[in-house]
Amino acid sequence: MQGVGFRPFIYSLATRHNLTGWVRNTSRGVEIEVNGPAQDLQSFLNAIRTEKPPLARIDQLDSGPCKSNSFTGFEIIASQAEPGQFNPVSPDVSICPDCQAELFDPTNRRFRYPFINCTNCGPRFTIIKDIPYDRPQTTMAGFTLCPDCQAEYDNPLDRRFHAQPVACPACGPQVSFFSGGKVLAEREAAIKTARQLLKQGKILAIKGLGGYHLACDPTSRAAVAELRLRKKRSDKPFALMAFNMDAIERYCHVTAEESSLLQSVQRPVVILKKRPDCAIVLEAAPFQATLGFMLAYTPLHLLLLEPGDDALDVLIMTSGNQSEEPIAYLDDEAFERLSPLADGFLVHSRPIHIRVDDSVARIIQKKPYLIRRSRGYAPDSIQLAEGIKSVLAVGGELKNVFCLTRDDYAFLSHHIGDMENYETLRSFEDGIAHYERLFRIKPEIIACDLHPNYMATRYAQQRAEAGQLPLVQIQHHHAHLASCLADNSWNSEEPVIGLSYDGTGLGTDGAIWGSEVLVGGYRGYQRYYHLTYVPLPGGDAATHHPARVALAYLWQAGLDWEFDLPPVMELCENDRTILQSMLRAKINTPPTSSMGRFFDAASALIGVRQEASYEGQAAIDLETLVDPTERGYYQFDVKENEFNPAPLWQALLKDWRAGASQPVLAARFHNSLVELNLELCSRIRKQTGAKVAALSGGVWQNRVLLENTILRLESAGFQVLIHHQVPSNDGGIALGQAMIAAKTLENR
Ligand code: ZN
Ligand code: ZN
Ligand code: FE
């Protein structure tokens, strides 16, 4: 990977060992020739691995003798450019400890300079227009290096040797503060103004690394409520940013693993458990027992959040957009779109080439579990178990991420978003073109979902037609299974049990699937079990109405809509009559086996949530309530290819009538699914011998379900595969699509 300081590292290492020769970049790595005594060569070789720079990754290190050459010194020589070849591009990297120390060192010439960076840190992917990664190919091209910066850039022993975004107050980008279309302050004063206004409860748009954030004081109820109103976002949690770990620990419990993920170079938003005395207002993350925190990851963020009487060391930092539009990243566009939302703008003059949202993760089983893989991770490649044909897999409709493969690399894009507006579609198309150019990929195969109306599917059809390329359409839950396999470098023909549980995905029978127990691998699958179909009132719109889904489930189970049941009380008589006739006449009630909606129904029935402002909200509330000490569970009726929840609903209602508490009922519901998972896997093992289970789909973001299922399956002797590098939700399916498409057409 270029721009991680590997060549200068080799230069200083060779010099230290008194070796002569050279180092250069090639398309697939670094080539080194060194001359010297065998003993020095050996210790040089050892040191490459043990002392490598923090951002460098050594996949493979090959060495062998060459003929002795009489070099007089050690040199970094020009890269060998090979047409069609590529170098991996580094993701953006959070500020390194050295730069952070310099930022706050009054004797340093970059003291308080918001764009300080070096070979070990700073912007990368968001500023690259093309490869090779040289300054003219970045958005830093317009800034001419001053003599001091140039000297550092040219000195192989300097931390800023060939650091493309290198800059200083004399020659680099600057910040300014705008309000009402006018510049109010510049440089240091601009940051000061922003700090003061935030402290006073104002809402500001702040230009960062991959786009604009909207920021405000998370301890001010008025500010947070106003932000919700302006963003038209009712309940979805806002992310928070803190100056340091101390600030985060004032509000949340942080485990050792969470702490290291927060401080990792990727600096994702990490989902943490709130402290009982947390002073952050409930409106920041309504109904949640958790908060999403990230550490300041750029020098500008550090200056904004630096503790002081005039400022806050914790801020809400949510994406700069209204409801579900993509995050704003171009200055003109940001001013236009965000002016109605922000009281002022803290902007800077370094252009952002591509918009990249913050990543989101949580810790599961002491390891990072990604919910959104974007800034800091993309465009790092996922290493495939073997080389495959070049595939463009376009992903799904929600949380879209596309994937391009080349050899044994899979490049998963940054988060594109929900493909429901023109802006997102454009960002998707531009993104694909950008990745194809950066990584010199010409797809030979196009892969997409089965759903004919997904925007991504239509794009794939057009691409395939225009380029005369084979198009492979892949069932959504099969893609989830394959994604989990690829995430685990699975490279075996042994059939795996896929528990693909999510909200929605088109099935091969035209129904909306979502609780799919599959057996198979990349090359195919068989559908063994699923929830008994239930009519979904209003189709996709049901996502927002858990109460209606609950009533549909009761109706199907032959249980009365008794007047005191929470979802029955939610609907007026007229609505219930309409719903009943819809169900009877099968009008606008597509059959579904969605696991997400099943959770929604349980949440409504237990009286937790009847209406949801975003998908999964009712299920999240239900999970939050679970009493971890409760062991009870309910039975499903497992027959043929179905598991029917009728007995579960009956038993649950009986417990509810008997006065069981919500935490107990929520726990029993979760436990029921854990037991069901074990039962289904055991039945399949008996039938087929399969003993590996892969857990994929958005429902597996439910920690209670995930951790307990792993425990239960493992103690019964199953090997359990879960996601590690890509999200279990639809942000990961493009990887599965790519693998399935490549394997399907392998021999053609
Ligand atoms: Zn640095
Ligand atoms: Zn300079
Ligand atoms: Fe899905």
Side-chain angles (χ1 to χ4, degrees):
M1 192 176 291
Q2 291 183 3
V4 296
F6 201 78
R7 290 171 306 152
F9 156 69
I10 294 297
Y11 176 92
S12 56
L13 200 63
T15 317
R16 206 175 81 206
H17 287 86
N18 288 316
L19 303 175
T20 60
W22 51 262
V23 57
R24 71 173 175 196
N25 277 334
T26 70
S27 40
R28 288 223 41 180
V30 171
E31 223 170 58
I32 308 162
E33 183 176 337
V34 276
N35 287 253
Q39 195 186 331
D40 294 341
L41 289 174
Q42 193 52 52
S43 76
F44 169 80
L45 210 51
N46 295 341
I48 290 180
R49 274 196 195 280
T50 53
E51 295 176 29
K52 70 174 176 64
L55 299 181
R57 190 180 83 192
I58 300 177
D59 290 339
Q60 204 181 323
L61 182 58
D62 298 324
S63 62
C66 63
K67 90 177 176 335
S68 171
N69 281 315
S70 49
F71 298 109
T72 50
F74 194 85
E75 260 186 285
I76 296 175
I77 61 175
S79 322
Q80 196 80 331
E82 291 164 51
Q85 289 298 351
F86 78 105
N87 276 113
V89 170
S90 167
D92 301 291
V93 183
S94 62
I95 184 169
C96 74
D98 289 339
C99 286
Q100 187 163 341
E102 290 177 358
L103 180 68
F104 293 114
D105 171 7
T107 67
N108 192 281
R109 72 186 186 90
R110 291 189 180 84
F111 177 55
R112 307 192 68 77
Y113 179 57
F115 304 95
I116 186 170
N117 67 78
C118 73
T119 312
N120 301 325
C121 73
R124 294 286 188 281
F125 179 55
T126 50
I127 62 165
I128 292 179
K129 294 176 171 174
D130 202 355
I131 56 162
Y133 176 52
D134 286 323
R135 190 158 170 121
Q137 311 257 43
T138 71
T139 63
M140 287 298 290
F143 299 94
T144 310
L145 291 169
C146 71
D148 287 343
C149 286
Q150 186 72 51
E152 292 168 328
Y153 184 90
D154 291 335
N155 177 5
L157 295 178
D158 194 279
R159 205 171 87 242
R160 296 191 168 88
F161 175 75
H162 281 207
Q164 305 306 342
V166 71
C168 77
C171 68
Q174 295 293 353
V175 291
S176 36
F177 189 88
F178 280 78
S179 186
K182 286 196 294 275
V183 183
L184 287 196
E186 290 190 280
R187 304 200 174 198
E188 185 89 42
I191 297 176
K192 223 184 178 81
T193 308
R195 287 163 61 92
Q196 284 163 351
L197 289 174
L198 286 166
K199 176 119 188 183
Q200 289 163 20
K202 298 283 192 249
I203 295 168
L204 300 184
I206 294 169
K207 184 178 176 184
L209 193 56
Y212 278 73
H213 283 114
L214 286 167
C216 76
D217 178 359
T219 61
S220 157
R221 180 151 287 140
V224 180
E226 179 64 23
L227 178 60
R228 287 220 171 265
L229 210 64
R230 292 190 195 173
K231 252 184 84 101
K232 298 192 177 132
R233 180 152 144 171
S234 48
D235 290 339
K236 234 177 184 175
F238 288 144
L240 296 143
M241 183 185 272
F243 179 75
N244 58 16
M245 289 301 299
D246 285 351
I248 296 178
E249 278 170 299
R250 275 208 308 272
Y251 305 106
C252 289
H253 297 285
V254 185
T255 65
E257 292 79 19
E258 286 162 347
S259 171
S260 54
L261 182 57
L262 281 162
Q263 295 176 75
S264 67
V265 294
Q266 291 88 1
R267 303 247 167 129
V269 175
V270 180
I271 311 292
L272 303 168
K273 198 165 162 234
K274 266 201 298 196
R275 286 187 180 279
D277 57 346
C278 182
I280 287 175
V281 299
L282 293 175
E283 286 81 351
F287 314 106
Q288 307 265 335
T290 56
L291 287 172
F293 257 109
M294 60 188 148
L295 276 180
Y297 52 83
T298 70
L300 177 58
H301 294 144
L302 284 170
L303 295 172
L304 191 67
L305 288 153
E306 186 190 7
D309 293 340
D310 66 331
L312 306 157
D313 61 357
V314 169
L315 286 173
I316 282 191
M317 283 289 241
T318 183
S319 46
N321 57 7
Q322 205 171 45
S323 57
E324 300 303 322
E325 288 173 356
I327 177 172
Y329 75 112
L330 299 170
D331 298 329
D332 293 347
E333 171 214 14
F335 276 107
E336 197 185 302
R337 281 169 52 196
L338 302 182
S339 283
L341 281 73
D343 301 314
F345 284 76
L346 182 63
V347 303
H348 62 72
S349 53
R350 187 178 67 206
I352 299 171
H353 185 65
I354 192 156
R355 74 158 62 83
V356 181
D357 290 81
D358 293 319
S359 295
V360 183
R362 71 192 300 179
I363 293 287
I364 297 279
Q365 291 210 313
K366 299 191 185 280
K367 285 194 199 120
Y369 194 72
L370 289 172
I371 293 165
R372 176 192 289 171
R373 180 185 184 274
S374 205
R375 176 186 49 76
Y377 297 93
D380 242 352
S381 57
I382 307 289
Q383 179 76 51
L384 301 176
E386 58 184 330
I388 60 171
K389 280 189 179 174
S390 277
V391 185
L392 164 63
V394 297
E397 181 82 342
L398 300 176
K399 303 183 177 70
N400 182 277
V401 162
F402 60 82
C403 174
L404 279 153
T405 70
R406 179 180 173 141
D407 310 324
D408 52 352
Y409 295 108
F411 298 97
L412 255 86
S413 75
H414 51 289
H415 169 78
I416 302 290
D418 296 351
M419 303 273 279
E420 53 190 27
N421 53 52
Y422 174 70
E423 269 296 295
T424 315
L425 179 65
R426 218 185 60 189
S427 157
F428 165 81
E429 292 179 350
D430 292 351
I432 290 174
H434 189 48
Y435 275 67
E436 285 179 3
R437 190 170 54 243
L438 275 187
F439 302 114
R440 308 289 193 252
I441 295 176
K442 278 204 184 85
E444 301 165 85
I445 301 169
I446 312 285
C448 67
D449 196 89
L450 272 187
H451 204 302
N453 295 333
Y454 282 3
M455 287 219 233
T457 304
R458 291 192 195 156
Y459 170 88
Q461 285 164 337
Q462 284 162 13
R463 271 291 299 258
E465 205 167 303
Q468 308 231 312
L469 298 170
L471 177 73
V472 186
Q473 290 199 264
I474 293 150
Q475 201 282 320
H476 188 92
H477 303 93
H478 184 208
H480 271 305
L481 164 60
S483 166
C484 189
L485 295 180
D487 194 337
N488 287 276
S489 304
W490 185 258
N491 192 22
S492 147
E493 300 289 327
E494 179 189 340
V496 175
I497 306 167
L499 302 179
S500 294
Y501 293 170
D502 68 0
T504 177
L506 182 63
T508 52
D509 58 358
I512 301 168
W513 291 9
S515 57
E516 308 314 307
V517 181
L518 314 175
V519 179
Y522 302 122
R523 286 174 210 282
Y525 71 95
Q526 269 188 295
R527 189 185 188 207
Y528 268 68
Y529 296 102
H530 59 87
L531 266 169
T532 303
Y533 288 149
V534 67
L536 189 62
D540 287 345
T543 307
H544 296 290
H545 307 293
R548 288 162 183 267
V549 184
L551 294 188
Y553 260 115
L554 292 182
W555 180 81
Q556 194 200 34
L559 296 165
D560 288 338
W561 291 357
E562 291 170 61
F563 288 114
D564 58 339
L565 293 178
V568 178
M569 287 168 67
E570 172 70 17
L571 270 68
C572 67
E573 201 187 333
N574 192 34
D575 284 353
R576 287 199 303 268
T577 312
I578 295 171
L579 180 59
Q580 199 144 42
S581 46
M582 279 171 75
L583 293 168
R584 279 207 190 105
K586 296 188 177 155
I587 300 164
N588 195 13
T589 49
T592 188
S593 57
S594 166
M595 184 60 87
R597 297 301 77 78
F598 182 56
F599 269 86
D600 288 352
S603 184
L605 213 55
I606 294 171
V608 179
R609 175 168 288 281
Q610 311 303 331
E611 290 284 296
S613 73
Y614 58 93
E615 188 182 8
Q617 187 180 19
I620 292 169
D621 289 1
L622 188 67
E623 180 197 351
T624 304
L625 278 175
V626 167
D627 171 358
T629 62
E630 170 60 33
R631 294 279 165 265
Y633 65 93
Y634 308 117
Q635 298 283 355
F636 290 79
D637 183 13
V638 182
K639 251 197 233 127
E640 313 253 309
N641 290 100
E642 293 180 6
F643 43 100
N644 189 330
L648 175 145
W649 296 129
Q650 217 158 20
L652 190 139
L653 282 182
K654 198 172 149 220
D655 283 353
W656 182 78
R657 290 246 168 260
S661 71
Q662 286 187 337
V664 165
L665 293 172
R668 288 184 186 164
F669 178 79
H670 280 77
N671 297 346
S672 310
L673 280 161
V674 173
E675 293 305 319
L676 174 79
N677 290 334
L678 177 63
E679 184 186 340
L680 298 181
C681 288
S682 302
R683 282 177 184 233
I684 291 171
R685 181 165 58 184
K686 249 187 225 142
Q687 274 178 276
T688 67
K691 50 192 184 302
V692 181
L695 314 186
S696 191
V699 166
W700 294 108
Q701 281 162 216
N702 181 317
R703 178 207 286 267
V704 174
L705 183 69
L706 179 62
E707 292 191 331
N708 290 322
T709 298
I710 296 171
L711 276 177
R712 204 80 179 90
L713 288 179
E714 282 184 348
S715 65
F718 287 96
Q719 182 191 346
V720 182
L721 306 176
I722 66 168
H723 282 279
H724 299 291
Q725 309 175 77
V726 304
S728 68
N729 60 42
D730 288 3
I733 62 166
L735 178 63
Q737 291 175 343
M739 286 303 295
I740 292 169
K743 291 283 185 181
T744 307
L745 297 183
E746 200 169 47
N747 302 319
R748 277 215 230 155

